[in-house]
């Protein structure tokens, strides 16, 4: 029992350390959480995807990914390009006037578009495979029979983080009641997204 709890605690801490890092997925969850746009669906997609990747890493998929670096390269190219596009769109929103921002708010993103974007930002992000599959998988294997307890702890960290990020961001919606605040948020999102996308492509 002590070994199980120790491995689970190690997984919780390691998972939190890797998942909390700023990335396009977290920026997207935060942005949509503030907008209160399909937050529960987006959080569920991100958390379930992370759980699937953690399980795959602990089960040994990390070795397969490591043996096919071309897959990681393709993910960097596609993921980087998509993140840059999202950054450019955020920059366009930031540069528009208040009337344009209010008009955009009146036409919220559809549920399937929100879910599709969350899936793309998760599964085309090469850092997901490097961190969640390879790193967590390798660390979990060091716990021997406790590797699945480690996976459970890492999975719990993911669920707690995305739930807190998505629903906690909703508390900021009052602050973002003015178009000026939305323009500032979109400007920050644009800088982060474009920088992350460029970094992915340049790392090829």
């Amino acid at each position: 029992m002590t070994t199980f709890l120790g491995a689970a605690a190690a997984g919780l801490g390691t998972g939190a350390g890797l998942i909390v890092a700023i990335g396009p997925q977290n920026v997207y969850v935060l942005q949509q959480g503030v907008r209160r746009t399909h937050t529960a669906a987006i959080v569920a997609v991100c958390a379930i995807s992370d759980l699937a990747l953690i399980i795959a890493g602990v089960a040994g998929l990390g070795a397969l990914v490591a043996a096919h670096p071309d897959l990681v390269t393709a993910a960097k190219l596609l993921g980087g390009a998509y993140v840059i596009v999202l950054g450019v769109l955020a920059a366009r929103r930031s540069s528009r006037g208040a009337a344009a921002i209010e008009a955009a708010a009146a036409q919220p993103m559809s549920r399937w578009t929100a879910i599709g974007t969350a899936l793309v930002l998760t599964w085309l992000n090469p850092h997901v495979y490097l961190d969640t599959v390879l790193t967590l998988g390798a660390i979990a294997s060091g716990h021997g029979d406790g590797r699945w307890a480690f996976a459970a702890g890492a999975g719990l960290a993911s669920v707690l983080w995305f739930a807190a990020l998505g629903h906690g961001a909703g508390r900021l919606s009052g602050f973002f009641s003015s178009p000026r605040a939305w323009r500032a948020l979109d400007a920050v999102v644009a800088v982060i997204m474009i920088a992350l996308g460029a970094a992915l492509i340049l790392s090829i």
Side-chain angles (χ1 to χ4, degrees):
M1 185 65 178
T2 302
T3 302
F4 177 89
L5 292 176
L12 182 66
T14 304
L18 293 174
I19 294 166
V20 171
I22 294 178
Q25 184 190 51
N26 284 339
V27 172
Y28 177 68
V29 174
L30 175 64
Q31 183 185 45
Q32 299 307 314
V34 170
R35 293 180 182 274
R36 293 185 174 180
T37 305
H38 312 300
T39 306
I42 293 171
V43 167
V45 167
C46 292
I48 292 173
S49 295
D50 257 20
L51 290 174
L53 289 163
I54 290 169
I55 291 172
V58 175
L61 182 62
L64 179 62
V65 174
H68 296 81
D70 289 344
L71 295 176
V72 177
T73 299
K76 286 182 178 181
L77 182 60
L78 293 174
Y82 187 75
V83 170
I84 288 175
V85 169
L86 292 178
V88 171
L89 292 176
R92 288 183 59 188
R93 289 195 301 270
S94 178
S95 65
R96 293 184 300 181
I101 292 177
E102 291 173 354
Q107 298 178 336
M109 180 184 297
S110 71
R111 180 181 298 274
W112 289 113
T113 300
I115 291 174
T117 300
L119 287 170
V120 169
L121 290 177
T122 299
W123 293 91
L124 285 185
N125 181 4
H127 290 296
V128 166
Y129 300 98
L130 297 175
D131 293 343
T132 308
V133 177
L134 290 175
T135 303
L136 279 179
I139 296 174
S141 66
H143 288 272
D145 293 339
R147 66 184 184 281
W148 290 110
F150 180 93
L156 178 61
S158 177
V159 172
L160 292 176
W161 167 249
F162 285 119
L165 182 63
H167 295 290
R171 297 181 178 275
L172 298 174
S173 59
F175 173 77
F176 288 97
S177 58
S178 70
R180 179 178 296 179
W182 276 114
R183 292 180 68 182
L185 176 63
D186 279 328
V188 172
V189 169
V191 171
I192 294 175
M193 289 290 198
I194 293 174
L196 289 172
L200 286 177
I201 294 175
L202 292 174
S203 67
I204 296 175

